[in-house]
Amino acid sequence: MTNDTTGSTTTLETSPVLARRGERWRELATRQESLLILVYAVMVLAFSLLNPRYFSTASFGNILQDFAPVMLMAIAQTFIIITGGIDLSVGAVLGLSGVSAALAIRTTTESGMPPALSITLGIVAALLVGLAVGVVNGLLITRVRLAPFIATLATMGVCMGTTLVVTGGVQIAGAPKEVVLLGNTRYLEIFTVPLLVVLAILVIAWLALSRTRFGRHTYAIGSNAFAARVAGIDVDRHLMKVYAIGGVLAALAGLFVYFRLGSGSPASGRGGELQAIAAAVIGGISLMGGVGRVTGTALGALITASVLSGLILIGIEPNAQQIVVGALIAVAVAVQGIGRGNSRT
């Protein structure tokens, strides 16, 4: 009699434990990041079957070099989209900042300045350009009260035009060899200094969004800006910070492209805003604001860079790649819409 009672009690006690474990496994299986990892694995398999060179250390290293600037722009978009905004200028800022660094480094190098100091001044010039554009975006949105789409569309046009005027439509060469070495020297056949910097920024961004007041305010503004103001959050000041950070991150992306190529190209960054938005949206960042994680954005950026690299290896022409990026955005937004519809029912 005692044994039967003990057995039934044990069964009753373990049933809730097993149920909780099952719920945790189901939650893990349906999380955005888990689904993205599965999509990435299938994509790698598909491209590897079409071209075996895709599945190699050299190919993965190249993908990560392409991933670095996309990741920086995608982090910028993540902060901004979570607040309920958008930044169409990140690609143009990438191009203008890279050209600015190229001009500063070439001019100071030709004047006899040591390479280390010349490169430092080039980095400062690029970051100041990005900061300036980010501040202008913030002012247009918080003071002039332009919609983020219109404000950043205007600055995108200004940056693209300025880049063409400054360069005359040609590349800015004349970089010292230290620039190319800094951008292309690989460690463990994969990592470069710019890539390691990007990974460090990724960790900082994750901590900022998930562990700080800055992150809580960012989500609060995107969820309900009016309620955020009532709660005492200085929404305009916070948006100024977010767009300024976005400009600086886009400028860093321009620097890393310049370090990799060894020249400033006026064509750099074209379509970068689409890649950044695609990475964020694929990663689960809702265009409605207030939802998303940096970890999802990182996987979205990796998928975006991997898709573009795979398309090149299987012989798809570059002009068609933007079609694929646009399609990825449409599919990701559609999936988010289906998910919201299911959650309401």
Side-chain angles (χ1 to χ4, degrees):
M1 184 72 177
T2 305
N3 290 337
D4 292 340
T5 304
T6 304
S8 60
T9 303
T10 304
T11 302
L12 291 172
E13 288 177 349
T14 55
S15 294
V17 175
L18 292 174
R20 286 195 297 271
R21 286 178 182 174
E23 290 175 3
R24 283 198 295 268
W25 278 109
R26 282 194 296 272
E27 181 184 355
L28 180 62
T30 57
R31 281 184 64 177
Q32 182 81 12
E33 289 86 349
S34 301
L35 295 175
L36 288 175
I37 291 172
L38 177 60
V39 168
Y40 180 70
V42 172
M43 184 191 66
V44 169
L45 177 61
F47 279 125
S48 299
L49 291 174
L50 292 171
N51 189 333
R53 288 188 301 165
Y54 186 84
F55 194 74
S56 64
T57 303
S59 176
F60 187 60
N62 289 330
I63 289 172
L64 287 180
Q65 304 318 307
D66 295 334
F67 160 86
V70 174
M71 185 71 252
L72 288 173
M73 292 188 292
I75 292 173
Q77 290 290 4
T78 297
F79 281 94
I80 292 168
I81 293 175
I82 286 176
T83 65
I86 196 79
D87 190 352
L88 300 179
S89 67
V90 289
V93 171
L94 183 155
L96 181 58
S97 60
V99 165
S100 300
L103 285 170
I105 292 173
R106 186 180 71 177
T107 302
T108 52
T109 299
E110 290 175 350
S111 68
M113 188 175 291
L117 183 55
S118 178
I119 292 172
T120 301
L121 290 176
I123 292 173
V124 171
L127 295 180
L128 287 177
V129 167
L131 178 62
V133 176
V135 169
V136 169
N137 283 335
L139 289 173
L140 290 174
I141 293 166
T142 61
R143 297 292 186 267
V144 185
R145 298 300 175 184
L146 291 180
F149 181 90
I150 301 300
T152 59
L153 180 64
T155 52
M156 178 181 75
V158 170
C159 289
M160 290 177 66
T162 303
T163 301
L164 290 173
V165 169
V166 169
T167 62
V170 298
Q171 291 190 356
I172 306 299
K177 66 175 188 275
E178 286 80 4
V179 167
V180 179
L181 289 174
L182 182 62
N184 293 279
T185 301
R186 294 194 184 187
Y187 306 94
L188 302 177
E189 299 184 14
I190 293 177
F191 299 102
T192 61
V193 171
L195 178 59
L196 293 174
V197 172
V198 170
L199 295 177
I201 291 173
L202 175 60
V203 173
I204 293 170
W206 173 74
L207 291 172
L209 268 183
S210 62
R211 298 289 189 271
T212 68
R213 180 186 298 177
F214 179 88
R216 291 192 295 273
H217 288 182
T218 301
Y219 284 107
I221 292 169
S223 298
N224 191 322
F226 177 78
R229 283 192 174 91
V230 172
I233 299 174
D234 190 336
V235 173
D236 289 347
R237 183 179 179 183
H238 191 85
L239 289 177
M240 285 292 300
K241 291 179 183 178
V242 168
Y243 280 93
I245 290 171
V248 170
L249 290 174
L252 267 178
L255 275 171
F256 292 165
V257 171
Y258 167 66
F259 285 140
R260 186 180 182 186
L261 300 177
S263 63
S265 172
S268 293
R270 289 183 182 175
E273 64 283 344
L274 277 179
Q275 294 179 32
I277 294 171
V281 173
I282 291 169
I285 308 299
S286 172
L287 290 175
M288 303 298 291
V291 175
R293 289 189 290 260
V294 173
T295 50
T297 299
L299 288 169
L302 182 60
I303 289 173
T304 303
S306 300
V307 165
L308 294 177
S309 178
L311 292 175
I312 292 171
L313 283 177
I314 64 175
I316 302 297
E317 61 177 279
N319 292 331
Q321 294 173 18
Q322 296 304 321
I323 299 175
V324 175
V325 173
L328 287 173
I329 295 175
V331 170
V333 172
V335 169
Q336 288 183 5
I338 293 170
R340 284 195 298 271
N342 290 337
S343 65
R344 294 193 187 103
T345 57

